[in-house]
Amino acid sequence: MYSVAVVGAGPAGSTAARTLSEMGYKVVLIDRKEVVGLPKQCAEGLFAACFPEFSTSPGEFITGKVRYLKVVFPDQTSYRLRGDLLMLDRPRFDQHLLGLAERSGADLVLGQKVEGIDPYSGEVRLRGGETIRAKAIVGADGPASRVGRSIGLRNRLVPAAQVEMTWPCDDTIYAYIDRDLPHGPYSCWIFPKNEAGTANVGCFGTFPTLERFISKYEIEGEVVEKNGGAIPLGLAARLQKGRAVLIGDAGGLTNPFTGGGLYPAARSARIAAGAIDRYLRGETKGIEYESAMRRDFVASDLHLKARDALAGLSNRELCRLGAAVDGLIFPGLKLSASPILVWRGLLHPGIMRPKYAPLLKLLFRYCLAGKVW
Ligand SMILES: Cc1cc2nc3c(=O)[nH]c(=O)nc-3n(C[C@H](O)[C@H](O)[C@H](O)COP(=O)(O)OP(=O)(O)OC[C@H]3O[C@@H](n4cnc5c(N)ncnc54)[C@H](O)[C@@H]3O)c2cc1C
């Protein structure tokens, strides 16, 4: 009998397995893949400030650094966020995290698909018929989580399509806001990988949407790889049942506005590990994860509302917003650190209209929350 069975060895699962092993628990980490991280399903960007959550130093899996995130409106007006961003080689990053979990003492079961779990008995059923038992189960098996489905949950998912193409050296990541592209308004991105001489160019949606974006914005480069995946839109209705908890994409913890899920994967892994530790030591009657997680991820709801509020605007209205913030540079990740932006936005005549009231309200709630997440 294991103390904890972790299903899925992506960034969330490997971080949870490692953290719990380091606490002294007997942990098994199961993944359906023989080699984790492949095929790549990521634009590979991570704010440097988020990196410590993984408790490892930047290593050979870094493929470049960028200085800015530029948000581009349909008429090419734009604002920039300053903040160091690390570009990863995502497959190597996932394999590095898995290596850390293994070195911390977790047992690895690779190439074995989990068919389902029983959240009350702690049984994990593998495709081959074998059953693993544990006192607690961590579902870290990505957006279409089997563990989630075993406890009656399904994430709301949006498809994402991406190509990696040749790209010149660049210190900026680009995010395009365009109502005319499906799954807009925040729809498309370009993430340059300077050491590789390429960029990940992608969108919320399918390949025809990506082709429309590439042609509309005249993006040029030679495609070297095609990939894609699914991104959860908003937190799962529940994050735990019995002895089972959901972390990372399995719990829908990805930022629903940007699609960024690496930081939330590590953060939720740590919060879950802490809650499981207290449960296994007998300090709590059950695993007290859900409320702690929802408190920590208070901004998820705001991101979803921001997405919906922007979706209610036409491209003309988005351009008016673009004009209000054009040329501004935010000093960092947190909007609360940018009073000038709020001030400029409030004073701009194009903004002082009832239609934008929900956006302004959201902006203030962001400021009050004091965090991006
Ligand atoms: C196109 C695209 C671009 C993205 N770009 C970024 C970005 O630039 N920055 C960022 O922060 N986030 C990005 N994301 C989101 C990010 O990739 C995810 O949030 C992140 O991978 C979540 O990690 P995870 O460990 O929760 O899940 P995953 O990385 O999906 O790992 C889940 C693991 O579970 C395994 N598994 C699944 N089902 C089973 C099963 N039944 N049995 C056993 N094992 C199973 C899988 O093999 C996999 O190894 C992007 C997503 C997409 C689709």
Side-chain angles (χ1 to χ4, degrees), residues 20 296 321:
L20 285 155
D296 202 76
L321 278 181

Side-chain angles (χ1 to χ4, degrees), residues 226-373:
K226 269 186 163 187
N227 54 64
I231 295 178
L233 275 191
L235 260 71
R238 288 177 67 177
L239 294 172
Q240 69 179 93
K241 188 173 189 182
R243 303 159 179 224
V245 301
L246 298 174
I247 63 171
D249 275 15
L253 291 158
T254 310
N255 180 326
F257 192 76
T258 63
L262 288 170
Y263 170 74
R267 182 93 187 129
S268 57
R270 288 184 183 284
I271 293 176
I276 290 170
D277 175 41
R278 286 187 292 280
Y279 168 64
L280 293 178
R281 280 195 283 137
E283 284 177 18
T284 54
K285 236 176 126 200
I287 304 172
E288 293 186 355
Y289 167 68
E290 174 123 18
S291 54
M293 199 64 240
R294 288 192 189 275
R295 258 197 318 277
D296 202 76
F297 278 58
V298 61
S300 174
D301 186 39
L302 295 181
H303 284 123
L304 202 55
K305 288 204 171 99
R307 196 181 172 86
D308 291 345
L310 280 181
L313 304 181
S314 66
N315 264 1
R316 239 178 107 218
E317 289 164 324
L318 286 173
C319 291
R320 207 174 279 144
L321 278 181
V325 290
D326 191 31
L328 283 182
I329 301 182
F330 292 62
L333 268 179
K334 294 179 182 171
L335 291 175
S336 48
S338 312
I340 187 169
L341 169 98
V342 179
W343 189 238
R344 278 259 309 257
L346 279 177
L347 289 185
H348 193 272
I351 298 287
M352 293 308 289
R353 314 170 99 222
K355 182 135 199 198
Y356 299 126
L359 278 174
L360 289 177
K361 204 169 121 198
L362 282 171
L363 196 58
F364 279 118
R365 282 183 65 197
Y366 270 124
C367 295
L368 288 177
K371 48 168 63 189
V372 181
W373 258 108

